[in-house]
Amino acid sequence: MKRRTLAIAAVTAVTLALAAPPASATPTARPATAAPAVAALAAPDVSVSNVQAHLAQFQSIATSNGGNRRAGSAGYTASVAYVKSKLQAAGYTVTEQTCTSCTYQGNNVIAEWPQGPSTDVVMFGAHLDGVAAGPGINDNGSGSSVLLENALVLAQQNPTMTKRVRFAWWNGEEQGLQGSKFYVNSLTTAQKGYIKGYYNFDMVASTNGGYFINRVTSTTAAPLKAYWDSLGLSPEENTEGQGRSDDYSFQQAGIPTSGYAMGASARKTSSQASKWGGTANAAYDPCYHSSCDTTSNINATGLNRSADGVAYAIWDLAVGGGTPTNDFSVAVSPTAGGVAQGSSTTATVSTATTSGSAQTVALSASGAPSGVSVSFSPSSVTSGGSATMTVSASSSATLGTFTLTVTGTGSATRTASYTVTVTGTGSCTGGQVVGNGGFESGTSPWTATSGVITNSSSQPARTGSYKAWLNGNGSTSTDTLSQSVTVPAGCSSYTLAFYLHIDTTERTTTVAYDKLVVQVGSTTLATYSNLNKATGYTLRSFDVGAYAGQTVTLKFTGTEDASLQTSFVIDDVTLQAS
C-alpha cells in the first residue's frame, strides 16, 4: 500500500475504525445468520497452503535480490517472471505492459482467462511491488498470492463463463499508483466501458488486522461482503485505504470498484478488537513498510478468508452452469538452458488434464533462431503425459539468447516458454573483459561525461586513486559512463561486478529523486537511487551469461534533480568469464 502524506495519515488515524486476529488467535466472530448466495456453494475452497507457497517464493526472490521486491529492482523483475510463468502454464493469455511513465520503469502483468464475452469483463488486481525496506510479503505479496492462486484454480476448474475474467499485478504502486494509472490511461473509452467492476486486494493478511471492504455498501462490493458476512465477520468500510491503492485509478476513470484489505499502520480500536480479536490500540500491521514484513508477518486465518472470498466473488460474478469443456495445460522444465554450436540440449514438456477428459495434444515450437531446430519425442501425448524436447544447434547457429514458444494443440491451444542461450564452439578464453575497470589508466576505453573519471579526494576511490563519480552536483544533471565489451563464448559462468558507493543529502526515505541505471545492451540490470545510500562501497554483481558470444555496451547513467546532491561512485568494474 502506498503511504500518503503525513497530514492525511494523521487525520485517517483519528477517524479509523478497521482490522483481524493473528493466525494464532481464535476469532470471536458470531455464527452466520444469513448464508451467502448459491454461488458460494459452487465456488472452490482455495488452498491457503498453496497461497502460502507463493508467499514463500516471493520471500525467496527478495532474499536473493538485495532483500526487497521494489519496483525497478531485480526482485521485482523476478516476481514478474514467477507470476507470468505460472499463468502461462495454466493457459492464460498473458501480457507484460511496460509502464514507461513509472518512476521505476517496469512491467504490469495482465492475464486474461480466454472465455466469456470480451465486452463484459470483471477485473481483479493487486500491486506486485514492495518497498526497499523489506521483502513486502503482507504488502503486497499477500494480495498478489491470493490472486495468483485464484487464477490457477479458475484455470484448473475451467467452468463455463458468463463474463470475461481479467487479473492484473501492478508495477509502481508504492510510488503513487503509477502502474495502474498507466494501464487505465492506455484504455480507450470503449475498453473502459467493458470493465464492469474492478476489485483490488492490498494487504489481506495483516497480523493484527480487521476485515475491511472498499465501498462496502456498494453493489460492486456485494459478493465480497456476502462471503465475509456468511462467516459472521461484519466487515467495515476501508477508511484507511481510501485513495491509497490501485482501485483509485479505476474509480477516477468511472469504473465501479471494491476490494478486500486488512489494514496498514492505523490502529485497531477497542470495539474492533472485541469483534475480531487481536490487540486494541496497536497497528493492524506492525511491520508495515519495514524489514520485518516477511513470511512471519502473515495472518493465515485472514489470508484464507480473503482467498476464499475472492473465489466466491469470481463464481458469483462470472461463472455460469454447464459442464466444463475438455482442457489441458503445458509446462516446460527446466524453463531455460544453454546449447553450444554443434550440440544439443533437452528439456521435459509436461501436460495435465485441467478439466473434462484427457485428449491428444500435438507439440510444436516456434521462435528458434537460424540454425536451431526443436523436436519432440513423442511428437504428441495424451494430456497427463510428457515428452522430451530436444533443442539442437548447427555449427553456424545464430549466437545469443532466444525465447521459444512451446505449443500444445488439442481442443484448445496452450503454450509455455523456454529460454535458450546459443554459445560458440570455441573453448572458453576466460578472464576479465572490462578494460581499465579500476580507472587507474586514464579514461580509455571508457566513454564518459567530462570529469566523471577522477581522482578527487572529495569522494575516495575504493582502491587506487581513481574512480568514476557520477552526479553529486545538487542540480539537474545527467552523467554517463560506458564501454563496449566482447563477452567470450563457451564459458560456464559470466559475472559482471562493480563496487558502488551512494552518498546523498536528500532527506526523504520514500522518494527516489536521483537515480543510477545500469544497462548491458538494451537490458536494464538494476536501478539505484538516493534511497540506496550507504556508508562505504557495496559489491553489486549480475549474471550476464545471456550475452555470451556477443559484443555489447556496458553503460551507467546517473540523473539528478534540481536540488540536494546524490553522488554515485563506481570502482573496480569487472566482467569475469570462466
Side-chain angles (χ1 to χ4, degrees):
M1 177 182 288
K2 180 178 82 70
R3 190 187 300 276
R4 298 193 77 179
T5 65
L6 183 61
I8 295 176
V11 172
T12 302
V14 173
T15 59
L16 245 270
L18 318 166
S24 59
T26 301
T28 58
R30 66 180 185 273
T33 56
V38 177
L41 301 178
D45 180 8
V46 177
S47 167
V48 71
S49 295
N50 290 349
V51 178
Q52 289 171 313
H54 300 313
L55 290 174
Q57 287 295 321
F58 288 134
Q59 175 73 64
S60 177
I61 285 169
T63 301
S64 300
N65 292 279
N68 68 78
R69 300 184 305 104
R70 191 214 65 199
S73 70
Y76 181 79
T77 300
S79 298
V80 167
Y82 174 72
V83 170
K84 182 180 179 182
S85 67
K86 290 288 186 182
L87 295 166
Q88 285 186 319
Y92 278 83
T93 302
V94 184
T95 303
E96 285 192 57
Q97 180 193 46
T98 302
C99 177
T100 56
S101 62
C102 286
T103 299
Y104 302 109
Q105 190 171 117
N107 292 349
N108 295 325
V109 179
I110 313 297
E112 191 154 306
W113 186 240
Q115 294 188 33
S118 60
T119 57
D120 203 0
V121 177
V122 285
M123 193 165 179
F124 298 80
H127 73 88
L128 187 55
D129 65 317
V131 295
I137 299 304
N138 185 40
D139 186 14
N140 186 36
S142 62
S144 294
S145 296
V146 160
L147 286 197
L148 178 56
E149 188 57 27
N150 264 279
L152 299 181
V153 168
L154 178 63
Q156 191 278 327
Q157 297 273 327
N158 192 27
T160 301
M161 305 301 295
T162 59
K163 288 186 176 66
R164 183 70 59 97
V165 175
R166 184 180 303 160
F167 295 92
W169 289 262
W170 304 118
N171 179 66
E173 189 269 357
E174 298 289 1
Q175 288 74 49
L177 322 180
Q178 293 176 344
S180 56
K181 287 179 184 177
F182 184 84
Y183 173 80
V184 171
N185 289 339
S186 74
L187 300 176
T188 64
T189 300
Q191 289 169 333
K192 292 174 186 175
Y194 297 158
I195 302 174
K196 308 309 180 185
Y198 171 80
Y199 294 84
N200 196 68
F201 303 91
D202 191 352
M203 303 182 67
V204 294
S206 305
T207 54
N208 191 43
Y211 293 90
F212 308 119
I213 297 178
N214 304 339
R215 303 176 67 245
V216 66
T217 60
S218 67
T219 301
T220 308
L224 297 182
K225 185 175 185 297
Y227 184 77
W228 276 0
D229 279 347
S230 77
L231 303 178
L233 296 174
S234 298
E236 298 178 4
E237 178 62 46
N238 183 15
T239 307
E240 181 188 23
Q242 288 179 5
R244 292 180 60 180
S245 198
D246 294 295
D247 54 297
Y248 188 68
S249 300
F250 289 80
Q251 181 184 332
Q252 291 297 98
I255 296 169
T257 64
S258 188
Y260 282 151
M262 292 189 68
S265 58
R267 294 178 180 272
K268 177 174 279 187
T269 67
S270 297
S271 63
Q272 290 168 348
S274 176
K275 178 168 61 170
W276 294 319
T279 305
N281 200 35
Y284 299 127
D285 181 359
C287 290
Y288 176 58
H289 282 189
S290 300
S291 60
C292 60
D293 189 10
T294 67
T295 49
S296 298
N297 185 47
I298 289 293
N299 176 345
T301 299
L303 187 72
N304 189 34
R305 289 168 171 172
S306 296
D308 288 341
V310 172
Y312 177 83
I314 293 172
W315 255 251
D316 181 71
L317 293 165
V319 172
T323 303
T325 58
N326 297 337
D327 206 353
F328 62 94
S329 63
V330 174
V332 183
S333 180
T335 57
V339 59
Q341 290 173 325
S343 63
S344 61
T345 190
T346 61
T348 299
V349 179
S350 302
T351 64
T353 302
T354 57
S355 66
S357 303
Q359 60 184 288
T360 299
V361 178
L363 300 173
S364 60
S366 59
S370 175
V372 173
S373 60
V374 184
S375 61
F376 299 88
S377 180
S379 59
S380 63
V381 298
T382 300
S383 57
S386 61
T388 299
M389 178 178 73
T390 301
V391 181
S392 302
S394 69
S395 59
S396 59
T398 302
L399 302 179
T401 299
F402 308 92
T403 299
L404 307 182
T405 299
V406 178
T407 301
T409 304
S411 61
T413 299
R414 300 289 176 244
T415 62
S417 296
Y418 179 80
T419 301
V420 61
T421 299
V422 183
T423 58
T425 56
S427 59
C428 172
T429 56
Q432 146 77 314
V433 300
V434 171
N436 189 22
F439 307 104
E440 301 298 323
S441 303
T443 59
S444 181
W446 295 100
T447 299
T449 303
S450 177
V452 161
I453 298 177
T454 176
N455 64 349
S456 169
S457 60
S458 298
Q459 289 287 351
R462 176 180 173 268
T463 59
S465 301
Y466 284 82
K467 70 280 173 181
W469 179 359
L470 287 74
N471 307 113
N473 303 303
S475 59
T476 303
S477 64
T478 299
D479 285 342
T480 60
L481 172 74
S482 64
Q483 180 180 147
S484 177
V485 294
T486 299
V487 185
C491 299
S492 59
S493 69
Y494 300 85
T495 302
L496 169 68
F498 57 90
Y499 286 85
L500 175 63
H501 169 56
I502 301 177
D503 171 81
T504 185
T505 56
E506 297 282 4
R507 295 179 290 272
T508 178
T509 59
T510 58
V511 182
Y513 289 115
D514 311 316
K515 302 174 193 175
L516 176 72
V517 178
V518 185
Q519 294 174 286
V520 171
S522 59
T523 301
T524 297
L525 297 180
T527 301
Y528 305 100
S529 74
N530 49 281
L531 300 178
N532 303 115
K533 65 180 180 180
T535 302
Y537 283 86
T538 302
L539 176 64
R540 310 288 185 175
S541 60
F542 305 88
D543 180 357
V544 292
Y547 300 95
Q550 301 179 50
T551 299
V552 292
T553 298
L554 167 63
K555 186 175 184 180
F556 301 87
T557 303
T559 55
E560 194 174 19
D561 72 352
S563 64
L564 299 178
Q565 73 85 26
T566 300
S567 297
F568 301 102
V569 189
I570 300 164
D571 206 354
D572 299 323
V573 185
T574 60
L575 198 165
Q576 292 281 354
S578 61

